[in-house]
Amino acid sequence: MTRREKQALIDQGHLLPLMEEFYTIQGEGYHKGTAAYFVRIGGCDVGCHWCDVKESWLPELHPATETTKIVDNAVKYSDIIVVTGGEPLTWDMGPLTEQLKAKGVQTHIETSGAYKLTGEWDWICLSPKKIKLPTEEIYDKANELKCIIYNKDDFKFAEEQAAKVNDDCILYLQPEWSKRDKMMPQIVDYVMANPKWKVSLQTHKYLNIP
């Protein structure tokens, strides 16, 4: 396969830069505590300074993998497949989710929403970032909004994002892990004063699992 042919397959979503895949417990948001199979796709130019998977940023570091192989392996483990990154919407998610749905499994995505929404999703976790805002289309389709609280200014950003999502979207505030001791008391007070919000924790880190 030539480099051009390979790139065409990547552009079409038939090959994806696969960073890692693993069966674990969902640690965050609405589905926390639920067993799920995670597929982490490489590639992200959003560039959050506190990102805990910076090794996912460069797609060329991760093997371009056939979506059929990703699907065949994932469905062996769970009927809930969570696609995360990196930023998975960097790539066309259509072929991956079409094949997953054909296998009868649920498709979840964790995304900043910075790129066009592709793919067929049963659950969309939107986690917007200030430095590269979501596309307008994803606000109407998000099932949950997860805003990361790194400092006090992030509460204002969270409210701005909450004003854009649909009425059924569940709202979460989650402390950035390295700032959790400082920010958690502020989050607790904020949620108690603004009960439309819920607290999300990275429970998988407390459980010491992936």
Short mmCIF file of all heavy atoms in Angstrom, two decimals, residues 17-22 38-42 52-53 56 82-86 110:
data_model
loop_
_atom_site.label_atom_id
_atom_site.label_comp_id
_atom_site.label_asym_id
_atom_site.label_seq_id
_atom_site.Cartn_x
_atom_site.Cartn_y
_atom_site.Cartn_z
N PRO A 17 -5.80 5.80 13.72
CA PRO A 17 -4.60 5.68 14.56
C PRO A 17 -4.98 5.20 15.96
O PRO A 17 -5.43 5.97 16.80
CB PRO A 17 -4.04 7.11 14.59
CG PRO A 17 -5.23 8.00 14.32
CD PRO A 17 -6.15 7.21 13.43
N LEU A 18 -4.81 3.93 16.19
CA LEU A 18 -5.24 3.30 17.44
C LEU A 18 -4.12 3.42 18.47
O LEU A 18 -3.07 2.82 18.33
CB LEU A 18 -5.60 1.84 17.19
CG LEU A 18 -6.04 1.04 18.42
CD1 LEU A 18 -7.33 1.61 19.01
CD2 LEU A 18 -6.23 -0.43 18.06
N MET A 19 -4.39 4.18 19.53
CA MET A 19 -3.40 4.33 20.59
C MET A 19 -3.44 3.16 21.57
O MET A 19 -2.41 2.57 21.89
CB MET A 19 -3.63 5.65 21.35
CG MET A 19 -2.68 5.84 22.52
SD MET A 19 -2.98 7.36 23.39
CE MET A 19 -1.96 7.07 24.85
N GLU A 20 -4.65 2.84 22.04
CA GLU A 20 -4.80 1.73 22.97
C GLU A 20 -6.27 1.33 23.04
O GLU A 20 -7.16 2.08 22.62
CB GLU A 20 -4.30 2.11 24.38
CG GLU A 20 -5.01 3.28 25.01
CD GLU A 20 -4.49 3.61 26.40
OE1 GLU A 20 -3.79 2.76 27.00
OE2 GLU A 20 -4.81 4.70 26.91
N GLU A 21 -6.52 0.16 23.56
CA GLU A 21 -7.87 -0.34 23.77
C GLU A 21 -7.86 -1.22 25.01
O GLU A 21 -6.89 -1.96 25.23
CB GLU A 21 -8.39 -1.08 22.53
CG GLU A 21 -7.44 -2.12 22.00
CD GLU A 21 -7.91 -2.72 20.67
OE1 GLU A 21 -9.11 -2.65 20.37
OE2 GLU A 21 -7.05 -3.28 19.95
N PHE A 22 -8.91 -1.13 25.81
CA PHE A 22 -8.90 -1.87 27.07
C PHE A 22 -10.32 -1.98 27.61
O PHE A 22 -11.18 -1.13 27.37
CB PHE A 22 -8.00 -1.19 28.10
CG PHE A 22 -8.23 0.29 28.25
CD1 PHE A 22 -9.13 0.78 29.19
CD2 PHE A 22 -7.56 1.20 27.45
CE1 PHE A 22 -9.35 2.15 29.34
CE2 PHE A 22 -7.77 2.57 27.59
CZ PHE A 22 -8.67 3.04 28.53
N PHE A 38 -13.01 0.44 26.04
CA PHE A 38 -12.54 1.74 25.57
C PHE A 38 -11.62 1.58 24.36
O PHE A 38 -10.72 0.73 24.36
CB PHE A 38 -11.79 2.46 26.69
CG PHE A 38 -12.69 3.13 27.69
CD1 PHE A 38 -13.44 2.37 28.57
CD2 PHE A 38 -12.80 4.51 27.74
CE1 PHE A 38 -14.28 2.97 29.50
CE2 PHE A 38 -13.64 5.13 28.65
CZ PHE A 38 -14.38 4.37 29.54
N VAL A 39 -11.85 2.43 23.37
CA VAL A 39 -11.00 2.51 22.20
C VAL A 39 -10.46 3.94 22.14
O VAL A 39 -11.21 4.89 21.92
CB VAL A 39 -11.79 2.19 20.90
CG1 VAL A 39 -10.91 2.40 19.68
CG2 VAL A 39 -12.33 0.76 20.95
N ARG A 40 -9.16 4.08 22.37
CA ARG A 40 -8.54 5.41 22.39
C ARG A 40 -7.87 5.68 21.04
O ARG A 40 -6.93 4.99 20.66
CB ARG A 40 -7.52 5.54 23.51
CG ARG A 40 -7.01 6.99 23.68
CD ARG A 40 -5.98 7.12 24.79
NE ARG A 40 -6.47 6.70 26.09
CZ ARG A 40 -7.24 7.45 26.87
NH1 ARG A 40 -7.63 8.64 26.47
NH2 ARG A 40 -7.63 6.99 28.05
N ILE A 41 -8.39 6.69 20.36
CA ILE A 41 -7.89 7.06 19.04
C ILE A 41 -6.88 8.20 19.18
O ILE A 41 -7.15 9.19 19.85
CB ILE A 41 -9.05 7.49 18.12
CG1 ILE A 41 -10.11 6.37 18.03
CG2 ILE A 41 -8.52 7.85 16.74
CD1 ILE A 41 -9.61 5.08 17.45
N GLY A 42 -5.73 8.06 18.53
CA GLY A 42 -4.71 9.08 18.58
C GLY A 42 -5.04 10.27 17.68
O GLY A 42 -5.79 10.14 16.71
N ASP A 52 -4.06 14.57 30.49
CA ASP A 52 -3.33 13.46 31.12
C ASP A 52 -2.98 12.36 30.14
O ASP A 52 -2.48 11.31 30.53
CB ASP A 52 -4.10 12.89 32.31
CG ASP A 52 -5.51 12.44 31.96
OD1 ASP A 52 -5.88 12.51 30.78
OD2 ASP A 52 -6.25 12.03 32.87
N VAL A 53 -3.26 12.59 28.85
CA VAL A 53 -2.84 11.62 27.82
C VAL A 53 -2.21 12.38 26.64
O VAL A 53 -2.61 12.23 25.49
CB VAL A 53 -4.00 10.72 27.33
CG1 VAL A 53 -4.28 9.61 28.29
CG2 VAL A 53 -5.27 11.53 27.05
N SER A 56 -1.27 10.98 23.30
CA SER A 56 -2.28 10.73 22.26
C SER A 56 -2.30 11.81 21.19
O SER A 56 -2.96 11.66 20.17
CB SER A 56 -3.68 10.65 22.90
OG SER A 56 -4.10 11.94 23.33
N VAL A 82 -16.77 2.60 24.21
CA VAL A 82 -16.53 4.03 24.41
C VAL A 82 -15.34 4.45 23.54
O VAL A 82 -14.24 3.93 23.70
CB VAL A 82 -16.22 4.35 25.88
CG1 VAL A 82 -16.01 5.86 26.06
CG2 VAL A 82 -17.35 3.86 26.79
N VAL A 83 -15.58 5.37 22.63
CA VAL A 83 -14.52 5.88 21.76
C VAL A 83 -14.04 7.21 22.35
O VAL A 83 -14.83 8.13 22.56
CB VAL A 83 -15.02 6.07 20.32
CG1 VAL A 83 -13.89 6.58 19.44
CG2 VAL A 83 -15.56 4.75 19.77
N THR A 84 -12.74 7.27 22.63
CA THR A 84 -12.18 8.45 23.26
C THR A 84 -10.86 8.80 22.59
O THR A 84 -10.52 8.24 21.56
CB THR A 84 -12.02 8.19 24.79
OG1 THR A 84 -11.62 9.39 25.44
CG2 THR A 84 -11.04 7.07 25.08
N GLY A 85 -10.12 9.73 23.16
CA GLY A 85 -8.89 10.14 22.51
C GLY A 85 -7.87 10.66 23.50
O GLY A 85 -7.95 10.34 24.69
N GLY A 86 -7.01 11.53 22.98
CA GLY A 86 -7.09 12.26 21.74
C GLY A 86 -8.43 12.92 21.53
O GLY A 86 -9.26 13.06 22.41
N GLU A 110 -16.50 10.25 23.78
CA GLU A 110 -16.04 11.34 24.64
C GLU A 110 -15.28 12.31 23.76
O GLU A 110 -14.25 11.95 23.18
CB GLU A 110 -15.14 10.79 25.76
CG GLU A 110 -15.86 9.80 26.66
CD GLU A 110 -14.99 9.19 27.75
OE1 GLU A 110 -13.74 9.29 27.64
OE2 GLU A 110 -15.56 8.62 28.69
#
